[in-house]
Amino acid sequence: MIWTPWVMITDVWIHNASLAALPTLVALSFGNKCLRVHYEKASWAVRAFIPCFERLINTRIEMLKYSYSLADLKVDGRSMGVNFEIDLTNLARKILTRLKTRERYKEIISRLPEEEVDIFFELKICEDLFFVARLLSIVRWHVSASCDKTLQLVLCPSTPISKELTSLRENEYIRVRTYYSPAYALYALKNAVRDAFNKRFFLRRLVGEGLDLSDRSGRVAVHFVDGADTEKKSDIFWYRRSGIGAGRMLIYFDHYRNAKVPISGAVIDEVERTGIPWVCLYESILHLQGRKVSRQKNPAFRLNYDEVPKLKTGGAKGVDRWIVDNFRTLSVQITMALRFYKLFNIKVVFDLSAPHLELVAERIALDMTGGIRIGAQRSALKGTEYQYALRYNANHLLFVWGSVITTHRGTSRALREFIISGYPFDAAFQDKPLSGSIFLEDGRRVPKRAFTIALFDNAYNTKGPFSKNMMALFYKKFLAWLIEDDGLAIIMKEKKQSSFFDSLPDIDKVFSDALKTGRLVRLNNSAGYFPSQVARHADIAVGIGISSAVIEAVVTGSRGVLCDLPGHRSNPLYIWGYDKIVFDDIDRLIDFLKKMKKDPQREAGYLGWAPHIDEIEPFRDGRAGERIGGYIKSLLESLEKGQTQAEAMDRARDDYMRRWGSDKVLVKCGE
C-alpha cells in the first residue's frame, strides 16, 4: 500500500496531542467519518476543542488515552521492552547511513575519526527519536495483537531527523507523518546558548581539594559514578592494589552523572578519606550545606579552538543544519575535554558511565592528546545485539567479565580490545554478615531451618523490559508461596529502596500477610550489601530478567536461577539453560523450586551453570581489581615515558597475557 493524503485514516497515534498538533488533527478529520486519536498526553485546550469541532463538522473524533508499559506488550513471548533498544538502534543506523552520504558529514569524518563521529551522531539520533520510536513499538504491537489491517498513522513533531522517518516504510500498515512544532527551534536555540556558555566559562574556576597544578606528572582521572567506598560498588575498586600513588590520581565530578544526584558534603568526605585529589567540573552540582571547599581561579584558563577542525556552516538547511549544529556541540565538548586533560596532564581516564554524547567527545580529545580511555562491564549481557552499553561504547579498552561478551553483535567499532578480568567488584567475594540492618522493627530474622530464597527485583518504567505489573506479579507469586508454605523463607533485596516496591499495585495485603509469617525479611539497607552477600544467607537466589544480581551471586559461589518474564530469548543462556537456570514462566520456575526444596541435592545438578561458568567469569577469585589496577599502572607508566597510545596498549596487553593467559585479551572487537 502506498500512502497518499487521500487514503482513509481511522487510527492516529500521537505521544503528545498539543496545540501544535491540532491543525494536523483537524485536517485529518475531514473526509473521515470516524477518526480515533490515541494519545498519551493531551493539552486541556485540545481536549476542550475536539468535542466542539465534532459538532461543527458532523464527524466523530474519538480521543483515546493510552497508558502502556512496553514490558507488558508481548509478541511471540518477547516483550516490546526487550525489542525497543534494538528497534531504536536499527532506526538510528538506517538514518545515519543516509546522513553519511551528505557532503557535510563527509567533511566531518575527513577531519575527525569516523568511528567516534558515527557513535556520536547515531547516539544523537537515538536521543532525538526516542519518543517516536517508543510510539512505533506500541503501534507495531497493536497491529500484531489486534490483527488490525487498517492504516495506522503516527504523528510526531517535525525535526530534521523525524522527517527522515517518513520515508522509512518497514510495515505496510504503519506510516509516520510530521507536524510543525516550535519545540525543535527552541531546543536548537537552547543548545546554542549552552554551547556558547560552556565555551566561555568551563573550568574558569577550579573547585576541589589537593589540586597541585605545578606537578606535571601524568595522572589517572576517575569519573565519579558509583562512589569511593571500596566496600560497596565503587569507581576505585582497583586502586588499592594498583600500586599507583594517590597523587597520581584525580577523581572528578561532572553534571552528566550527578545532575540528579547532587554532590553533598557526605560524598566529599567519602572521597577525601581515600586521600585522592578531586575536582568538580560544574560548581552548580555541589550541595554542601555549609561545608567549605577550596575554590581558586584557573591560572591556565583559555579556550583554544585551533585543535578542533572547523566546518563551513554557511547556507546549511534542514538535515545539513542539524549536522552542523551537532558538530558545533561536539567541537565544544572536545575542546572542554582538552582543557581538562591538559590542565591536569591526564593520561588515562577510567569511567564506569553508561554511553553518553559527552563521553564520545572525551574519547576524541584523548586521541588528540595520546591518552587512553578505559571502562568496565557493570552488568550481565542481556541480549546478543545492539545493547546500548556495547553499541555506543566510546572507550579504547573495556574490562569484561568473560568471553560470553563476544556473542554480541553490533559492538562499537571504536572499541579496540576486550580485556577479560572477571567480575570487577572484589568486595562481592567477601562474606558480610547480615547484621542489624537485616532486621525489621520487631527484630525478626530468617528461621535457620527454612528453605530460604534471596529475591532480587529490578527497576521498572514504561520504556524498558520491566513494568510495574510485571514486578507486582513477581512479588505476589513468591509471597503467596511463602504464606502457604511454613518451610519457606524469603529475603528481599530491592534495587530501588522502598519507593518502587511500595507503589506496586495491590501489593499491600499480600505483603502484610507475608510479614505476619515471620519468615519474610525486607532489607532496610539494600544498597549496603552486594547481592552475593545476601545470597550466601539463602539456599538459592532468584532474580527477575537476566539478573546481574543473580549472576554475581553465582560467580561468587551461590546457586541461582533467573525468572526472565521479559523474554530475552536471544541470550546465550537460553541455548543451554532453558528451564534449568532461566525460566520465562514464573509458575514453572516455582514448581522447579518446590522440587528443589524437597530434595536440594537431587535438584542441584540440574542448575546447569557449571559447564559454562568459565564463559561468564573464568577467574572467580576476587582479584579483578588487582588485574585492572595493574593494567592501568602499566598504561600510565608507558605514557609517562613518552610512548605512543598504541605502544602503551601493546605493552600492557603483552604483560597481561603473559600473567593471566593469552586467551584473556580479545583484540579488535568491533563490528
Side-chain angles (χ1 to χ4, degrees):
M1 178 190 297
I2 299 176
W3 180 76
T4 72
W6 297 278
V7 171
M8 184 70 72
I9 306 291
T10 57
D11 286 277
V12 175
W13 298 78
I14 187 168
H15 169 65
N16 183 11
S18 63
L19 276 174
L22 187 57
T24 302
L25 293 175
V26 168
L28 289 170
S29 67
F30 289 107
N32 289 279
K33 293 182 179 179
C34 180
L35 187 69
R36 292 189 294 267
V37 179
H38 307 261
Y39 68 94
E40 186 167 16
K41 297 188 292 183
S43 73
W44 67 268
V46 170
R47 285 184 278 111
F49 176 82
I50 290 297
C52 300
F53 182 71
E54 283 184 296
R55 291 192 292 271
L56 181 65
I57 66 169
N58 194 29
T59 190
R60 176 69 175 154
I61 303 177
E62 290 187 75
M63 296 293 290
L64 305 172
K65 182 177 175 60
Y66 66 83
S67 179
Y68 293 123
S69 290
L70 291 183
D72 293 332
L73 311 181
K74 291 198 173 184
V75 176
D76 298 327
R78 186 177 183 179
S79 82
M80 298 304 289
V82 172
N83 290 339
F84 176 65
E85 197 169 283
I86 300 170
D87 293 342
L88 177 58
T89 301
N90 276 325
L91 274 178
R93 286 175 59 238
K94 290 175 181 178
I95 292 174
L96 180 66
T97 299
R98 293 183 176 187
L99 297 189
K100 287 170 71 74
T101 64
R102 306 187 76 90
E103 292 304 317
R104 301 276 184 180
Y105 199 94
K106 290 178 181 178
E107 187 178 350
I108 294 172
I109 61 177
S110 71
R111 303 180 183 200
L112 292 175
E114 182 175 359
E115 292 87 352
E116 287 94 303
V117 171
D118 285 353
I119 293 174
F120 181 88
F121 278 94
E122 190 175 310
L123 191 52
K124 181 59 182 169
I125 294 168
C126 286
E127 287 189 2
D128 286 5
L129 292 183
F130 185 88
F131 287 105
V132 66
R134 176 176 174 267
L135 183 52
L136 282 169
S137 292
I138 291 171
V139 178
R140 287 192 198 101
W141 168 81
H142 170 80
V143 170
S144 174
S146 66
C147 299
D148 189 346
K149 302 306 180 185
T150 59
L151 185 63
Q152 310 289 311
L153 184 65
V154 176
L155 293 182
C156 63
S158 178
T159 71
I161 293 303
S162 66
K163 286 179 180 178
E164 295 290 317
L165 279 179
T166 59
S167 56
L168 289 178
R169 298 180 180 176
E170 303 174 27
N171 189 311
E172 63 177 314
Y173 303 110
I174 302 173
R175 294 291 177 268
V176 177
R177 181 170 172 176
T178 62
Y179 60 88
Y180 172 76
S181 170
Y184 177 73
L186 294 173
Y187 171 76
L189 177 61
K190 177 183 174 183
N191 284 346
V193 172
R194 181 203 60 206
D195 291 342
F197 182 87
N198 286 336
K199 176 181 177 180
R200 182 72 181 86
F201 294 106
F202 180 69
L203 279 188
R204 189 181 183 88
R205 186 161 72 158
L206 302 179
V207 181
E209 297 291 349
L211 306 178
D212 183 2
L213 298 181
S214 64
D215 182 1
R216 301 311 295 164
S217 301
R219 287 186 174 94
V220 178
V222 180
H223 188 189
F224 185 91
V225 178
D226 281 328
D229 183 353
T230 54
E231 294 302 308
K232 303 176 183 177
K233 288 189 176 180
S234 163
D235 303 298
I236 56 170
F237 63 88
W238 49 270
Y239 160 62
R240 296 295 181 192
R241 301 169 77 175
S242 70
I244 302 173
R248 306 289 300 280
M249 301 274 291
L250 178 67
I251 293 175
Y252 68 97
F253 303 97
D254 77 356
H255 68 90
Y256 159 58
R257 172 58 177 86
N258 307 112
K260 296 182 180 178
V261 187
I263 304 303
S264 65
V267 170
I268 298 300
D269 290 340
E270 178 183 298
V271 170
E272 291 191 351
R273 282 194 291 271
T274 69
I276 298 173
W278 65 270
V279 65
C280 183
L281 304 186
Y282 298 88
E283 193 171 350
S284 61
I285 67 174
L286 292 173
H287 290 253
L288 302 179
Q289 297 181 329
R291 190 192 190 283
K292 296 193 179 205
V293 296
S294 172
R295 291 174 170 86
Q296 58 180 298
K297 288 185 178 181
N298 178 1
F301 179 77
R302 67 189 183 91
L303 187 60
N304 185 354
Y305 252 75
D306 295 341
E307 295 182 75
V308 181
K310 295 181 180 179
L311 188 69
K312 294 179 182 178
T313 61
K317 296 180 180 179
V319 73
D320 284 333
R321 183 76 251 171
W322 183 90
I323 292 172
V324 167
D325 287 348
N326 282 287
F327 176 74
R328 179 204 63 227
T329 297
L330 175 60
S331 298
V332 171
Q333 290 175 355
I334 292 171
T335 306
M336 292 163 63
L338 285 170
R339 178 187 293 181
F340 173 46
Y341 297 152
K342 289 185 175 182
L343 179 65
F344 293 102
N345 200 22
I346 303 300
K347 299 294 184 182
V348 179
V349 174
F350 184 83
D351 190 352
L352 291 176
S353 293
H356 189 264
L357 294 171
E358 292 182 356
L359 309 186
V360 183
E362 292 171 13
R363 159 65 185 268
I364 295 173
L366 279 170
D367 283 335
M368 290 178 172
T369 62
I372 297 172
R373 181 178 174 80
I374 299 171
Q377 179 185 353
R378 302 178 72 219
S379 301
L381 183 69
K382 302 298 189 292
T384 55
E385 60 178 336
Y386 300 134
Q387 302 295 291
Y388 255 49
L390 293 175
R391 176 67 182 174
Y392 302 114
N393 198 294
N395 295 300
H396 291 92
L397 313 173
L398 186 68
F399 290 98
V400 298
W401 302 2
S403 61
V404 70
I405 205 85
T406 60
T407 61
H408 181 266
R409 294 191 306 107
T411 299
S412 164
R413 290 189 297 127
L415 263 174
R416 306 274 182 83
E417 297 173 359
F418 281 144
I419 314 296
I420 297 176
S421 57
Y423 183 77
F425 303 110
D426 295 346
F429 289 83
Q430 301 166 9
D431 196 13
K432 183 177 181 181
L434 298 183
S435 55
S437 63
I438 193 173
F439 299 113
L440 296 174
E441 291 179 1
D442 60 1
R444 285 194 301 270
R445 71 157 63 236
V446 174
K448 291 183 178 179
R449 295 183 180 179
F451 180 81
T452 304
I453 295 174
L455 207 58
F456 301 116
D457 66 7
N458 216 311
Y460 57 81
N461 54 45
T462 61
K463 311 167 193 73
F466 304 107
S467 71
K468 182 180 286 191
N469 291 333
M470 186 184 292
M471 212 59 60
L473 174 66
F474 178 68
Y475 273 116
K476 286 176 184 176
K477 288 283 187 179
F478 277 96
L479 295 181
W481 179 20
L482 176 77
I483 292 166
E484 71 181 27
D485 189 337
D486 293 340
L488 181 68
I490 289 177
I491 305 173
M492 289 170 49
K493 185 182 186 305
E494 300 156 70
K495 186 160 186 174
K496 299 288 184 182
Q497 190 77 35
S498 298
S499 59
F500 271 61
F501 178 83
D502 293 340
S503 63
L504 293 176
D506 305 320
I507 198 70
D508 291 344
K509 185 178 187 310
V510 68
F511 179 61
S512 175
D513 291 345
L515 281 178
K516 291 175 184 176
T517 67
R519 290 174 280 107
L520 174 66
V521 172
R522 181 184 184 185
L523 290 177
N524 293 336
N525 179 26
S526 284
Y529 298 96
F530 283 94
S532 58
Q533 294 166 340
V534 178
R536 290 191 189 99
H537 295 265
D539 294 283
I540 193 164
V542 179
I544 191 166
I546 304 300
S547 169
S548 296
V550 166
I551 294 177
E552 175 195 306
V554 169
V555 301
T556 55
S558 297
R559 295 189 293 181
V561 289
L562 304 169
C563 181
D564 186 31
L565 298 184
H568 294 87
R569 292 183 176 176
S570 67
N571 192 287
L573 295 175
Y574 270 85
I575 298 173
W576 47 267
Y578 185 54
D579 279 354
K580 296 178 182 177
I581 62 169
V582 57
F583 296 77
D584 56 7
D585 182 284
I586 194 167
D587 292 322
R588 286 205 311 273
L589 169 60
I590 289 177
D591 286 343
F592 173 86
L593 293 172
K594 286 178 178 178
K595 292 177 184 177
M596 174 181 284
K597 178 177 175 290
K598 289 180 181 178
D599 187 357
Q601 295 306 315
R602 184 177 71 85
E603 287 295 331
Y606 290 98
L607 288 177
W609 292 94
H612 301 275
I613 195 68
D614 284 348
E615 300 167 22
I616 298 169
E617 215 281 36
F619 293 108
R620 304 189 298 284
D621 58 2
R623 296 174 64 190
E626 176 186 342
R627 285 183 280 273
I628 294 173
Y631 209 104
I632 292 173
K633 183 181 181 184
S634 175
L635 292 172
L636 180 62
E637 289 176 344
S638 296
L639 294 172
E640 274 279 84
K641 292 175 183 177
Q643 292 185 349
T644 65
Q645 187 185 81
E647 290 169 342
M649 290 170 63
D650 287 344
R651 180 199 162 197
R653 182 196 316 123
D654 292 343
D655 290 347
Y656 192 87
M657 289 193 296
R658 275 194 296 271
R659 183 167 185 190
W660 303 107
S662 59
D663 61 334
K664 299 303 186 292
V665 178
L666 310 171
V667 183
K668 199 62 180 175
C669 48
E671 280 187 316

